């Protein structure tokens, strides 16, 4: 009896510490942005805003002929204009004249975020699809974009996409939707609307961290009764129900199409959501299910690597091998809020009494990680079918680039090294993003150059 009580106490202690860790990280992001707003001189802030607006107009005029580079954030991420102007990509968007940073749902499903991304670019009201909306219990229509950020987007005006974490899967799903002509009124869409996809610490094949945070390894769908994700679920439901305008303008989880606010659902609607009878956590239309290994396999089974699109991925790793054991590669090089997870993921073992997520699964293949995702998951699509790939050690290994192949590079870094805090990544930050933008501008070309003795078509 004492032993059982002691084990239960340890579980609750671990949950409490884990919650403090995640809460601290969230408060860190919010306090950084708030402090930046408060410390700004008001007149200086207004002047800076006007100056930036003028610069954007100049850039638009001078760079209309360049294909946009679209930076897509990951889970709990945010786009331009949120968190008091804090940049999710730590200002990397300023490295090129034609960069867009959309604000998508931070916890909504990969499917919903892909639909939102399409209308952010083309313009119009977000249409989640009639069948999907009925199945998941939310409105078919969402946010309205009076003016698309790239309305001319088509096969002759393709786009470069860079996705961090779950953002990489969002872009892949969007490309498949374009190939399947899944957007009403855009029957001319095709996979060739996408010129290149760059995955930065991308959640391509799922992560074992979802199980550490509370997803059941048995099915990759249901939550453990007591876990971090349960607290996250409750917090998000209450946040959405309270519907405080200024707070949601500051940061939004993206569940507006579920009508979870007190005005629309009342107190009984809140109870229904908390009890798991309605809402995104009931229907499974939220992002964590897509990030389990099982969920990623289901997602990937419908996604192709297309022969005329260029693919490149950076897989991050903060572990090393010592006498046959996988351990964190030092302490100082890992973000304090990720160190525990790097350690836990490097020791993760799938429960022996539960069927493995796929045939041939081995625990040791998934031990190398960056604190949020497993390195094996980030290189290229592997499950349920492995796509063509090529490991890059030197840049010359992938020049000239060939379409239809996933070129991937292993980078020493944790999951947040290349976002939010530029100073922390140092020189490596600039090397990564300079390489991405240079490749998009100089090496990724779909048009065949005209030779001197040829007449252009």
């Amino acid at each position: 009896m004492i032993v059982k009580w002691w084990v239960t106490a340890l579980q609750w202690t671990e949950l409490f510490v884990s919650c403090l860790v995640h809460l601290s990280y969230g408060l860190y992001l919010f306090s950084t942005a708030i402090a930046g707003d408060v410390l700004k001189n008001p007149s200086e802030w207004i002047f800076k805003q006007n100056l930036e607006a003028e610069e954007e107009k100049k850039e638009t005029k001078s760079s209309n002929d360049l294909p946009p580079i679209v930076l897509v954030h990951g889970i709990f991420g945010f786009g331009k204009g949120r968190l008091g102007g804090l940049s999710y990509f730590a200002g990397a968007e300023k490295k090129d004249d034609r960069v867009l940073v959309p604000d998508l749902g931070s916890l909504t499903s990969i499917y919903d975020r892909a639909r939102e991304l399409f209308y952010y670019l083309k313009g119009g009201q977000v249409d989640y699809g009639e069948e999907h909306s009925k199945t998941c219990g939310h409105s078919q229509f969402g946010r309205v974009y009076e003016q698309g950020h790239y309305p001319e987007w088509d096969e002759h005006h393709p786009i470069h996409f860079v996705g961090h974490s779950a953002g990489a899967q969002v872009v892949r799903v969007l490309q498949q939707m374009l190939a399947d002509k899944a957007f009403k009124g855009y029957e001319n869409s095709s996979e060739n609307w996408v010129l290149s996809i760059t995955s930065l610490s991308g959640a391509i094949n799922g992560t074992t961290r979802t199980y550490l945070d509370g997803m059941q390894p048995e099915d990759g769908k249901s939550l453990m009764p007591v876990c971090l994700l349960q607290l996250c679920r409750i917090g998000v439901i209450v946040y959405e129900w309270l519907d405080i305008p200024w707070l949601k303008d500051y940061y939004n989880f993206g569940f507006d199409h579920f009508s979870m606010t007190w005005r629309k659902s009342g107190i009984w609607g809140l109870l229904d959501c908390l009890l798991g009878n309605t809402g995104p956590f009931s229907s499974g239309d939220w992002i964590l299910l897509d990030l389990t290994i099982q969920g990623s396999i289901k997602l990937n089974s419908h996604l192709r690597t297309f022969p005329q699109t260029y693919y490149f991925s950076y897989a991050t790793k903060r572990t090393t091998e010592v006498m046959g054991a996988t351990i964190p590669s030092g302490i100082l090089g890992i973000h304090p809020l990720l160190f525990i997870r790097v350690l836990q993921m490097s020791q993760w073992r799938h429960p022996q009494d539960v069927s493995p997520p796929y045939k041939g699964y081995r625990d040791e293949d998934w031990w190398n990680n960056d604190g949020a995702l497993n390195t094996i998951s980030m290189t290229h699509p592997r499950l349920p079918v492995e796509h063509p790939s090529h490991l890059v050690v030197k840049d010359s290994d992938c020049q000239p680039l060939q379409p239809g192949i996933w070129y991937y590079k292993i980078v020493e870094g944790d999951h947040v090294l290349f976002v939010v805090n530029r100073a922390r990544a140092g020189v490596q930050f600039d090397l990564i993003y300079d390489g991405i933008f240079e490749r998009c501008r100089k090496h990724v070309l779909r048009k065949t150059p005209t030779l001197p003795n040829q007449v252009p078509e």
Side-chain angles (χ1 to χ4, degrees):
M1 184 68 181
I2 295 177
V3 173
K4 185 177 180 181
W5 176 87
W6 178 248
V7 171
T8 303
L10 284 176
Q11 290 175 337
W12 277 101
T13 302
E14 180 186 2
L15 175 63
F16 178 71
V17 172
S18 182
C19 289
L20 286 179
V21 166
H22 285 75
L23 181 61
S24 299
Y25 183 59
L27 290 175
Y28 162 74
L29 291 178
F30 275 79
S31 61
T32 300
I34 293 172
D37 287 342
V38 172
L39 292 175
K40 286 177 182 174
N41 179 282
S43 61
E44 182 181 330
W45 184 84
I46 295 172
F47 173 76
K48 184 178 178 183
Q49 289 293 98
N50 292 334
L51 185 63
E52 287 179 350
E54 290 179 6
E55 288 178 351
E56 284 183 5
K57 290 179 181 178
K58 291 178 181 178
E59 288 175 356
T60 301
K61 290 180 181 179
S62 63
S63 59
N64 277 340
D65 56 335
L66 293 174
I69 299 174
V70 181
L71 305 182
V72 184
H73 64 76
I75 184 174
F76 287 111
F78 49 92
K80 187 175 181 179
R82 298 289 186 182
L83 265 70
L86 181 69
S87 171
Y88 179 86
F89 289 92
E93 60 271 23
K94 297 177 182 178
K95 286 181 171 287
D96 190 272
D97 291 338
R98 197 75 170 94
V99 178
L100 299 172
V101 188
D103 181 64
L104 308 175
S106 67
L107 274 182
T108 49
S109 65
I110 298 291
Y111 175 95
D112 286 1
R113 293 183 67 195
R115 305 289 293 193
E116 293 164 9
L117 180 54
F118 176 86
Y119 290 98
Y120 165 90
L121 293 165
K122 289 294 288 184
Q125 185 172 24
V126 177
D127 183 351
Y128 295 103
E130 183 178 1
E131 183 179 349
H132 171 83
S133 302
K134 286 182 178 179
T135 301
C136 297
H138 61 68
S139 172
Q140 180 180 342
F141 301 101
R143 181 176 177 177
V144 176
Y145 292 96
E146 298 291 347
Q147 178 65 36
H149 289 75
Y150 193 54
E152 60 266 46
W153 184 29
D154 60 20
E155 187 169 337
H156 302 293
H157 303 85
I159 290 179
H160 298 284
F161 287 95
V162 180
H164 175 255
S165 190
Q169 283 291 72
V170 171
V171 177
R172 294 188 65 221
V173 169
L174 174 58
Q175 185 180 30
Q176 188 63 57
M177 287 178 175
L178 293 170
D180 296 339
K181 308 185 187 308
F183 296 96
K184 189 175 181 179
Y186 295 94
E187 285 73 20
N188 65 331
S189 69
S190 77
E191 65 275 12
N192 293 328
W193 286 28
V194 178
L195 186 51
S196 74
I197 294 178
T198 300
S199 170
L200 184 58
S201 303
I204 301 175
N205 299 284
T207 171
T208 56
R209 174 166 175 170
T210 56
Y211 311 121
L212 290 166
D213 288 344
M215 298 300 294
Q216 295 278 13
E218 289 86 346
D219 58 8
K221 295 180 181 179
S222 53
L223 292 177
M224 298 176 185
V226 179
C227 65
L228 176 66
L229 290 179
Q230 285 284 11
L231 293 182
C232 173
R233 180 185 74 88
I234 294 170
V236 171
I237 289 172
V238 173
Y239 186 94
E240 292 290 326
W241 187 80
L242 290 174
D243 192 30
I244 304 173
W246 67 266
L247 191 57
K248 292 191 75 173
D249 284 341
Y250 201 70
Y251 185 83
N252 197 336
F253 290 107
F255 290 121
D256 292 343
H257 53 305
F258 275 92
S259 302
M260 297 162 61
T261 67
W262 63 271
R263 294 178 183 85
K264 295 181 178 180
S265 66
I267 189 67
W268 295 114
L270 173 63
L271 292 175
D272 259 352
C273 284
L274 291 173
L275 292 173
N277 298 325
T278 60
F281 306 102
S282 170
S283 64
D285 196 26
W286 66 303
I287 200 166
L288 260 297
L289 274 68
D290 296 325
L291 298 182
T292 63
I293 297 178
Q294 295 97 323
S296 295
I297 291 175
K298 182 179 179 181
L299 202 64
N300 286 339
S301 63
H302 303 290
L303 305 181
R304 294 170 53 201
T305 291
F306 294 95
Q308 294 192 58
T309 304
Y310 295 86
Y311 301 90
F312 202 96
S313 66
Y314 295 88
T316 42
K317 180 170 79 80
R318 264 305 180 193
T319 50
T320 188
E321 307 290 330
V322 176
M323 294 186 294
T326 303
I327 60 173
S329 55
I331 298 177
L332 298 179
I334 304 174
H335 196 289
L337 301 179
L338 287 177
F339 182 84
I340 294 176
R341 281 302 190 236
V342 172
L343 179 62
Q344 290 177 316
M345 291 176 69
S346 68
Q347 308 299 315
W348 165 259
R349 291 184 181 278
H350 196 78
Q352 293 184 353
D353 58 339
V354 174
S355 299
Y358 62 90
K359 186 178 181 180
Y361 168 87
R362 298 192 312 165
D363 288 320
E364 54 267 33
D365 292 338
W366 293 79
W367 284 343
N368 284 316
N369 70 89
D370 66 0
L373 296 173
N374 313 84
T375 305
I376 189 176
S377 174
M378 294 182 267
T379 59
H380 62 283
R382 297 172 178 269
L383 304 169
V385 177
E386 186 159 1
H387 293 214
S389 65
H390 182 78
L391 172 64
V392 174
V393 179
K394 299 179 295 182
D395 288 342
S396 58
D397 295 342
C398 60
Q399 293 178 5
L401 282 169
Q402 299 296 320
I405 299 174
W406 282 85
Y407 294 91
Y408 67 93
K409 181 181 288 188
I410 308 296
V411 179
E412 189 68 20
D414 60 42
H415 195 65
V416 295
L417 187 65
F418 301 110
V419 295
V420 183
N421 190 347
R422 181 173 187 165
R424 181 170 167 262
V427 176
Q428 198 175 10
F429 180 95
D430 292 300
L431 290 175
I432 288 289
Y433 283 105
D434 286 346
I436 292 173
F437 292 134
E438 181 181 4
R439 186 167 56 250
C440 289
R441 295 302 180 213
K442 295 183 179 180
H443 302 294
V444 177
L445 301 169
R446 183 169 291 156
K447 292 182 179 179
T448 304
T450 303
L451 298 176
N453 60 343
Q454 287 182 329
V455 178
E457 297 180 0

